[in-house]
Amino acid sequence: MKTSKLLAATALSASAFAGTAQAEDLTLCWAAWDPANALVELSKEFEAQSGHKMNFEFVPWPNFADRMLNELNSGGKLCDLLIGDSQWIGGGAENGHYVKLNDFFDAEGISMDDFAPATVYAYSTWPKGEPNYYALPAMGDANAWFYRKDWFERDDIKAAFKEKTGRDLAEPKSQKELLEIAQFFQGREIDGKTVYGAAIFTERGSEGITMGITGALYPWGFKYENTPGKYDMEGAVNSPQAVEALEFYKEFYKTATPPGYTNAYMGESLDAFKSGQVAMGMNWFAFFPGLYADPNVGGDKIGFFVNPPQNQAGSTLGGQGISVVSYSEKQDAALEYIKWFAQPEVQQKWWSLGGYSCHNAVLNDPGFKDSAPFAGDFLEAMGAVQDFWQEPAYAELLLAMQKRMHDYVVADQGTAKEALDALIADWTEVFEDEGKL
């Protein structure tokens, strides 16, 4: 039944996308965060132009995956459009949850060459890199860093750092410099208040600690497989570089984070920074417009930098594509929204409102780098992003990594090598169950 729905959807003629006979109420599902609010504002133009009414179902990030994957797996009709995580694209395609968009893109002259290659690969294609498109790149994102620029520029703090380290206090050029800076600030008194090094990700329940640890693993040279598509993980997942990176992240957690920081993700990182507890924080670019606008720590007080390299450049990919849900009874109207959203002028406004466009017309504009204090960093990060497994069984793969990483880093169980060896065993079992090994 799923296959026939997909075939029917992709066989629609080009005229079907030119406009529907009557106005529809469409529901777009996404996570509840700042970019979602920007999309509500942006979508008012679509409502005015199309006559359709947009409804929104926004779910808090800790519950987003469970809520939406349950909706898809049950064939639910809540969502006509879904901005789903990059890791869902394999399951969305293979399980028939998402409408394949190739015929629609061809009919409407929408070219994936108009979007940043990393975002097309990560958000749209299945199998990876093949020209089979199940989403339009919607929200570019990567994990990066922000810091108290006003603290970094204080003469007393600069002098103390120079005396301790022998170098000038500045944005870190490597992961090890990042830790050195965080350790310098750890427990330091600034304006009569004890502060800490950095807010990093340690959350176990959803994806937090995995997204944080990969921020170290990728710059060290971590790979999921020795040979892409072969699931040959021994010597890749548990390589000497991976062991060193994992040990690094644990040292970071133990020596340079706020007390009791055992289960922290996006919200806790933002709270720690906004309340003046930490000198630096990791989080997604999606939150940077809001941080820059913050009356207490934004403006001249905040700076931004790309996740630093170590052996190589590497940033953890975030972001999502927008898909038409195959169970929707309003696919024509939903495809109208995709067509509207893909327009360069709409993409430009999306960026100006606080969304992260993936369209080359926006990203390659000569003025883009100067359009926000983090715009250049965003471009740099998106040139060296890596993503977690995008397999249909990604949820099981993620749960295994969450457990193994949290047990080692936070619960202090075993060695880094033992944690990675155990992770390979977990993942091997999943791929055997999937018939991939």
Side-chain angles (χ1 to χ4, degrees), residues 51 127 172 242 429:
E429 185 176 342

Side-chain angles (χ1 to χ4, degrees), residues 64-130:
F64 179 53
D66 284 347
R67 175 73 180 85
M68 288 301 136
L69 294 177
N70 286 338
E71 177 71 19
L72 292 174
N73 289 330
S74 67
K77 300 186 188 307
L78 169 65
C79 309
D80 302 299
L81 293 151
L82 174 60
I83 302 183
D85 250 350
S86 56
Q87 296 100 332
W88 304 357
I89 199 77
E94 290 198 8
N95 298 322
H97 300 322
Y98 294 164
V99 171
K100 188 176 179 182
L101 298 172
N102 288 54
D103 289 352
F104 168 66
F105 286 165
D106 290 344
E108 294 299 333
I110 298 171
S111 172
M112 289 293 94
D113 291 339
D114 291 338
F115 293 82
T119 69
V120 174
Y121 178 87
Y123 306 153
S124 302
T125 63
W126 188 262
K128 298 319 302 170
E130 295 295 321

Side-chain angles (χ1 to χ4, degrees), residues 317-334:
L317 182 75
Q320 302 88 30
I322 183 169
S323 299
V324 175
V325 178
S326 64
Y327 315 114
S328 167
E329 296 173 349
K330 304 169 185 176
Q331 290 181 17
D332 288 4

Side-chain angles (χ1 to χ4, degrees), residues 35 38-39 42 138 341 346-357:
L39 190 65
L42 181 72
F341 186 74
V346 174
Q347 288 290 304
Q348 183 60 58
K349 187 165 186 182
W350 176 223
W351 166 246
S352 69
L353 288 171
Y356 280 77
S357 174

Side-chain angles (χ1 to χ4, degrees), residues 63-326:
N63 312 110
F64 179 53
D66 284 347
R67 175 73 180 85
M68 288 301 136
L69 294 177
N70 286 338
E71 177 71 19
L72 292 174
N73 289 330
S74 67
K77 300 186 188 307
L78 169 65
C79 309
D80 302 299
L81 293 151
L82 174 60
I83 302 183
D85 250 350
S86 56
Q87 296 100 332
W88 304 357
I89 199 77
E94 290 198 8
N95 298 322
H97 300 322
Y98 294 164
V99 171
K100 188 176 179 182
L101 298 172
N102 288 54
D103 289 352
F104 168 66
F105 286 165
D106 290 344
E108 294 299 333
I110 298 171
S111 172
M112 289 293 94
D113 291 339
D114 291 338
F115 293 82
T119 69
V120 174
Y121 178 87
Y123 306 153
S124 302
T125 63
W126 188 262
K128 298 319 302 170
E130 295 295 321
N132 303 305
Y133 306 119
Y134 293 88
L136 183 87
M139 175 71 190
D141 207 359
N143 200 11
W145 294 83
F146 41 89
Y147 68 99
R148 287 296 298 265
K149 188 177 180 183
D150 55 336
W151 294 356
F152 276 51
E153 292 176 346
R154 280 175 50 159
D155 289 340
D156 58 333
I157 293 175
K158 289 195 294 185
F161 185 82
K162 184 69 174 281
E163 182 179 351
K164 182 173 183 178
T165 67
R167 65 182 183 87
D168 293 329
L169 179 58
E171 294 179 5
K173 298 294 189 290
S174 70
Q175 289 283 312
K176 290 183 178 179
E177 284 188 10
L178 174 68
L179 176 56
E180 185 179 48
I181 294 170
Q183 290 172 334
F184 166 78
F185 278 102
Q186 183 76 355
R188 184 166 294 275
E189 186 174 302
I190 297 180
D191 298 331
K193 180 179 178 180
T194 301
V195 305
Y196 303 95
I200 64 174
F201 298 159
T202 60
E203 180 261 4
R204 177 167 175 169
S206 60
E207 63 174 16
I209 197 164
T210 297
M211 297 299 105
I213 280 176
T214 50
L217 288 172
Y218 297 152
W220 251 270
F222 174 87
K223 294 180 179 179
Y224 291 93
E225 308 162 279
N226 291 297
T227 311
K230 297 295 186 183
Y231 308 98
D232 50 348
M233 297 172 284
E234 183 65 40
V237 171
N238 58 355
S239 69
Q241 293 85 357
V243 170
E244 185 176 329
L246 185 50
E247 290 172 343
F248 167 87
Y249 199 83
K250 181 172 183 174
E251 183 185 358
F252 206 130
Y253 166 70
K254 295 288 187 183
T255 66
T257 60
Y261 208 70
T262 59
N263 193 39
Y265 194 21
M266 296 180 260
E268 290 78 11
S269 167
L270 297 173
D271 290 346
F273 189 78
K274 289 180 179 180
S275 63
Q277 289 184 63
V278 293
M280 300 182 291
M282 67 160 46
N283 222 315
W284 304 105
F285 275 100
F287 294 108
F288 289 9
L291 282 170
Y292 185 67
D294 187 272
N296 297 316
V297 297
D300 293 340
K301 295 180 180 178
I302 194 171
F304 306 91
F305 59 88
V306 174
N307 190 47
Q310 191 57 41
N311 299 325
Q312 63 183 43
S315 293
T316 300
L317 182 75
Q320 302 88 30
I322 183 169
S323 299
V324 175
V325 178
S326 64

